[in-house]
Amino acid sequence: MSKTVVVTGAAGYIGGQISLLLKDAGHKVIGIDRRQYPSNLSGVFDRFVRNDFASDAALNVLIQERPDAVIHCAATSLVGPSIEHPDEYYNNNVVKTLKLLDIVCQAIPKTRIIFSSSAAVYGTPIMNPCHEVDPKEPISPYGHSKLMIETVMESYRVAYGLDYVAFRYFNACGADSQ
């Protein structure tokens, strides 16, 4: 059964790889990214919106398309620079994601959110290997921003019935040239 899926941060490595897999599985894939349409993903997207994921243009596409899921990979994502410029990280990763979640809850409440979180929510893990239930003690604005959204999504689940899951990536790499 084919689904419509929106991927934010679709021009990035994780978003691009997810988009490729979704297309191979027969789904309608809508990419959103403020970066240019990636040439190595030619033919993957049924629709591509070159804009910020929280822009009116991008949010209007969500409302029009009424996707079954939004895979939210868009983020400002480097730990080091987050310490020097925390405002960029809190604005992009928290404020703009709140806007996205509000639109989903208000206009398309049956849409599932798959959130690209980060192992940075653990800070310096107390055990190796790290487990999902280990304490979350981020040590950077980047890690804090990801944990904030996880907390918001749980609150939205309770209050509004938001259907979500968060994946905490440790290190994303692969053989694809993207």
Side-chain angles (χ1 to χ4, degrees):
M1 177 157 139
S2 180
K3 305 271 184 186
T4 299
V5 182
V6 168
V7 179
T8 67
Y13 182 76
I14 294 172
Q17 294 303 304
I18 290 169
S19 297
L20 284 166
L21 291 170
L22 289 167
K23 193 57 159 177
D24 287 348
H27 300 296
K28 179 179 180 181
V29 182
I30 299 160
I32 298 174
D33 204 304
R34 57 185 172 196
R35 293 174 287 184
Q36 206 168 339
Y37 191 110
S39 60
N40 63 320
L41 296 176
S42 180
V44 170
F45 301 107
D46 295 280
R47 185 172 182 181
F48 188 84
V49 179
R50 185 176 179 196
N51 218 318
D52 190 282
F53 73 90
S55 68
D56 289 342
L59 296 174
N60 285 333
V61 167
L62 282 176
I63 294 167
Q64 291 167 3
E65 294 286 347
R66 308 192 67 72
D68 298 285
V70 173
I71 302 178
H72 185 38
C73 299
T76 308
S77 62
L78 300 174
V79 172
S82 78
I83 294 166
E84 297 169 15
H85 305 285
D87 58 321
E88 293 176 23
Y89 286 74
Y90 291 122
N91 182 50
N92 196 49
N93 298 356
V94 179
V95 174
K96 290 180 181 181
T97 299
L98 284 170
K99 190 173 178 184
L100 171 72
L101 293 173
D102 286 342
I103 288 294
V104 169
C105 288
Q106 293 166 14
I108 48 174
K110 293 185 182 195
T111 297
R112 182 167 221 211
I113 298 288
I114 296 107
F115 178 59
S116 289
S117 190
S118 170
V121 303
Y122 295 111
T124 305
I126 58 172
M127 298 182 70
N128 190 5
C130 188
H131 299 281
E132 184 176 357
V133 296
D134 286 351
K136 281 79 154 169
E137 298 172 345
I139 57 174
S140 69
Y142 170 67
H144 280 287
S145 72
K146 291 296 190 169
L147 185 56
M148 285 177 182
I149 292 303
E150 288 187 29
T151 302
V152 166
M153 289 189 308
E154 179 57 20
S155 297
Y156 278 35
R157 182 194 66 77
V158 171
Y160 312 119
L162 179 69
D163 185 10
Y164 80 93
V165 66
F167 292 107
R168 295 181 185 138
Y169 305 117
F170 279 78
N171 208 354
C173 65
D176 195 302
S177 61
Q178 191 200 158

